Amino acid sequence: MGIAISLLGGLGLFLYGMNMMGDGLQKCAGDQLKKIIGFLTSNVVMGVLVGTVVTGIIQSSSATTVMVVGFVNAGIMTLSQAIGVIMGANIGTTVTAQLVSFSLEDIAPIALGIGIIIYLSAKKPKHKQYAEILLGFGMLFTGMQFMKEAVSPLADLPQFREALIYVGAHPLLGILVGFLITGIVQSSSASMGMLIALASQGILPLSAALPILYGDNIGTCVTSLLSSLGASKNAKRAAFMHLTFNVIGTILFIVVFTKPISMIVSYLDPVDIARQIANAHTLFNIVNVIVLLPFSKYIVKLVLKLIPVTENEEEASDVKYIDERMIETPSIAVGNAVLEVKEMAEYASKSLEYAVNGVLNYSEEELNKTFEMEAKVNEIQKQVLSFLVKLSKVALNEEERNKVTNLIYAVTDIERISDHGENIAELGKTLVGDKLSFSEHAQNEIREIYTLAASNFKDSMECLEEVNLELRKRVHENEKQVDLLEVGYRNHHLQRLNEGRCTVDAGVIYFDILTNLERVSDHCKNISDYSYDV
């Protein structure tokens, strides 16, 4: 019991340190992560490179594969792209095992000491992020030291040694043990840490470690499989593809590659069993990718046979770029949230456009399209706000946190712009239904003020995405111009009413349309200001 409690304590510290170091690295590399994801193409080799680098940064293949499931579920990544990233994630996750296989426990207190001094004294968020990396590093190796000390008494237990020898003689049992451990702790890096802790105490022979290592790779699929529950069939296919890839790789190594890999790692480091296990883990994943990469399209086909496309396949979600699974990688989630808000703005812009054109063309068809666009905006708003609120609760750097806050504010203004489009469409319905009409002057005035408001909307969205003082100034100037035009056009229309060139009923509708367009411009000014006010 004492061994178990000490091992669990060390494992907890190890996991916490790994997560803290991963969070710190991710905050520091936020923009770079977004750029790396931008390299994704249908080229599966590029997918492997992206998966390797992203996982190396965030220190978790599980987080990467969950993110991939989210991308596939949102419809912005194909299965052909996903398999490359999944393969790369398996290589990237070996970084942690390589790191902990070195005996760096002596420098852990130094890393902790320097990290806490920087964290407490730093004023700049960037410096605090560096401190988090150091603190995570120190905790990871302190946890590793606790695990090594916890398992050291097992060396004196002949029953435990015999059990490990039995596992080495029965690889399927070792695979099952590795699968269960990783499935429970939800981290192949943590289970590799335990293997290396046992090996460093001279308890675990390489012959017993390899089957457990293979099982670890299958166990890491549990996270992505759980993540796919409740997702689209395509997301389930991505998770199952991860499982298929790792199972096929394990079978290949059990049947063909176990002896060669044992010989290679023993040759590279004849004495240090911990290094042998870490190298075996890296070789397993690299060789696995090299062997199976040419057959990636067949793995996709196999998964499509196992989970076939049906006629009543789920309809695509209203949102296009976001999925809650992406929150596992906050930097990427923020970038995708920006894309989703821009998509929402496109629908709001179309809502306004259809409304004004419907009024000017007396077209019920265009007016009806306004209501369709507005309903779409409302649905997207609910999902985007839910996503942003959850995203605001995770580890973000200062810039990303401000961006999320800005987006939360902007989403409300965008939805209000769409509401004003709906208001104008309803006025247009009255106009058409009552067979009322505007004079040519009134139509030109509506067209002019709409053009200025629509241009302001476009410019304000660019301000939201990236700080641009010149553009913000232009939005403010145009907003003042819209205010002046509204006052001027109201006076013009009163004159037309006095001269009998327009009916009172049409005049009331005209004034309401001007008011709605002026308020659209007000919301645009709000959006342009958010990046500067937070």
Side-chain angles (χ1 to χ4, degrees):
M1 182 59 71
I3 291 171
I5 291 171
S6 299
L7 182 62
L8 282 173
L11 178 62
L13 195 57
F14 179 94
L15 283 169
Y16 185 75
M18 189 175 70
N19 288 335
M20 179 177 272
M21 187 168 70
D23 285 345
L25 285 166
Q26 192 172 165
K27 288 176 190 174
C28 286
D31 288 335
Q32 284 71 23
L33 269 180
K34 291 175 216 169
K35 289 175 185 174
I36 291 165
I37 289 294
F39 287 124
L40 269 178
T41 65
S42 55
N43 185 331
V44 71
V45 176
M46 185 60 74
V48 171
L49 293 173
V50 168
T52 302
V53 174
V54 169
T55 307
I57 292 171
I58 66 177
Q59 295 285 294
S60 172
S61 61
S62 297
T64 303
T65 50
V66 167
M67 177 192 72
V68 167
V69 169
F71 276 132
V72 172
N73 193 48
I76 55 176
M77 184 185 286
T78 65
L79 291 175
S80 298
Q81 291 174 315
I83 191 166
V85 180
I86 288 167
M87 288 179 172
N90 279 13
I91 296 174
T93 196
T94 65
V95 171
T96 308
Q98 285 289 344
L99 190 64
V100 298
S101 68
F102 293 100
S103 296
L104 302 177
E105 289 83 1
D106 291 341
I107 65 170
I110 299 171
L112 284 168
I114 295 172
I116 197 66
I117 290 168
I118 294 173
Y119 192 84
L120 293 174
S121 61
K123 294 181 180 178
K124 292 183 178 179
K126 199 76 175 174
H127 294 159
K128 284 188 178 290
Q129 290 158 20
Y130 296 142
E132 284 180 17
I133 295 170
L134 284 171
L135 288 169
F137 178 89
M139 286 183 198
L140 185 146
F141 278 97
T142 303
M144 193 68 192
Q145 180 64 27
F146 283 179
M147 285 197 287
K148 287 179 181 178
E149 290 174 0
V151 300
S152 60
L154 295 175
D156 299 326
L157 292 178
Q159 299 94 327
F160 190 77
R161 283 184 171 279
E162 287 169 11
L164 290 176
I165 292 168
Y166 185 80
V167 168
H170 298 82
L172 290 178
L173 181 60
I175 291 170
L176 180 61
V177 169
F179 171 79
L180 290 173
I181 293 172
T182 307
I184 292 167
V185 300
Q186 296 281 290
S187 170
S188 60
S189 296
S191 52
M192 283 300 301
M194 286 190 280
L195 280 184
I196 289 168
L198 287 167
S200 64
Q201 300 303 307
I203 302 169
L204 184 70
L206 184 62
S207 60
L210 287 178
I212 299 172
L213 183 154
Y214 302 152
D216 285 347
N217 271 57
I218 298 175
T220 197
C221 301
V222 170
T223 310
S224 56
L225 287 167
L226 289 173
S227 164
S228 71
L229 296 176
S232 67
K233 278 193 175 181
N234 231 16
K236 289 182 174 68
R237 292 181 190 114
F240 206 79
M241 205 157 56
H242 185 208
L243 177 64
T244 304
F245 172 71
N246 283 358
V247 168
I248 292 173
T250 297
I251 292 169
L252 281 173
F253 268 77
I254 287 292
V255 175
V256 179
F257 293 118
T258 292
K259 284 187 178 179
I261 202 172
S262 299
M263 291 171 62
I264 291 169
V265 297
S266 298
Y267 174 77
L268 290 173
D269 205 319
V271 179
D272 193 340
I273 183 71
R275 293 290 305 134
Q276 289 176 11
I277 291 173
N279 288 334
H281 188 217
T282 302
L283 280 173
F284 169 82
N285 286 292
I286 291 175
V287 172
N288 212 358
V289 169
I290 291 170
V291 171
L292 294 179
L293 189 62
F295 303 98
S296 59
K297 61 182 179 182
Y298 297 108
I299 294 175
V300 173
K301 287 181 180 179
L302 173 62
V303 170
L304 285 170
K305 281 190 176 297
L306 293 170
I307 308 176
V309 178
T310 56
E311 290 182 8
N312 59 341
E313 191 100 347
E314 303 101 315
E315 290 184 9
S317 171
D318 289 299
V319 290
K320 183 176 179 182
Y321 296 102
I322 58 171
D323 184 280
E324 286 187 13
R325 295 158 188 82
M326 293 175 192
I327 295 174
E328 292 278 343
T329 46
S331 299
I332 293 168
V334 172
N336 277 61
V338 172
L339 294 175
E340 195 62 62
V341 172
K342 286 174 67 180
E343 184 78 4
M344 179 184 171
E346 281 294 317
Y347 284 112
S349 179
K350 286 178 183 176
S351 171
L352 192 62
E353 181 184 354
Y354 282 132
V356 173
N357 286 340
V359 166
L360 296 176
N361 301 328
Y362 300 97
S363 168
E364 286 207 55
E365 183 183 351
E366 288 184 287
L367 294 173
N368 289 333
K369 284 182 180 178
T370 300
F371 302 122
E372 291 175 18
M373 293 297 106
E374 209 279 327
K376 188 86 172 172
V377 169
N378 287 343
E379 191 54 45
I380 293 174
Q381 183 202 23
K382 291 176 192 173
Q383 296 185 55
V384 170
L385 280 177
S386 173
F387 181 83
L388 289 172
V389 169
K390 288 174 182 175
L391 184 57
S392 69
K393 296 175 182 176
V394 302
L396 298 167
N397 62 36
E398 187 179 20
E399 183 184 347
E400 289 166 347
R401 191 163 296 284
N402 287 343
K403 178 70 76 175
V404 170
T405 304
N406 294 337
L407 291 175
I408 289 171
Y409 291 148
V411 162
T412 302
D413 279 286
I414 293 167
E415 194 276 332
R416 290 296 297 133
I417 288 172
S418 180
D419 284 345
H420 288 303
E422 184 182 38
N423 293 344
I424 293 170
E426 287 171 351
L427 293 167
K429 284 276 191 179
T430 303
L431 193 75
V432 174
D434 293 349
K435 295 184 169 53
L436 302 172
S437 62
F438 293 138
S439 67
E440 187 177 342
H441 284 296
Q443 290 184 20
N444 288 337
E445 287 164 358
I446 290 171
R447 191 175 286 111
E448 184 177 357
I449 199 169
Y450 160 71
T451 302
L452 200 53
S455 174
N456 246 12
F457 190 18
K458 181 175 178 292
D459 289 344
S460 67
M461 289 306 299
E462 288 187 32
C463 288
L464 180 68
E465 189 174 6
E466 189 175 347
V467 173
N468 187 325
L469 292 172
E470 284 299 317
L471 205 54
R472 181 198 184 207
K473 184 180 176 183
R474 188 164 81 193
V475 171
H476 279 237
E477 289 172 351
N478 284 347
E479 202 280 323
K480 290 177 184 175
Q481 183 65 21
V482 168
D483 289 346
L484 291 172
L485 285 176
E486 186 204 13
V487 173
Y489 291 163
R490 280 179 179 276
N491 292 333
H492 290 174
H493 204 69
L494 283 171
Q495 188 178 347
R496 287 193 292 269
L497 284 170
N498 290 334
E499 294 172 357
R501 288 186 287 150
C502 185
T503 64
V504 173
D505 290 340
V508 171
I509 292 173
Y510 174 82
F511 287 143
D512 283 346
I513 290 173
L514 289 188
T515 300
N516 277 282
L517 289 173
E518 190 277 328
R519 286 178 182 170
V520 164
S521 190
D522 286 342
H523 289 294
C524 295
K525 178 177 175 291
N526 292 345
I527 294 169
S528 73
D529 286 342
Y530 290 140
S531 293
Y532 309 86
D533 293 341
V534 175

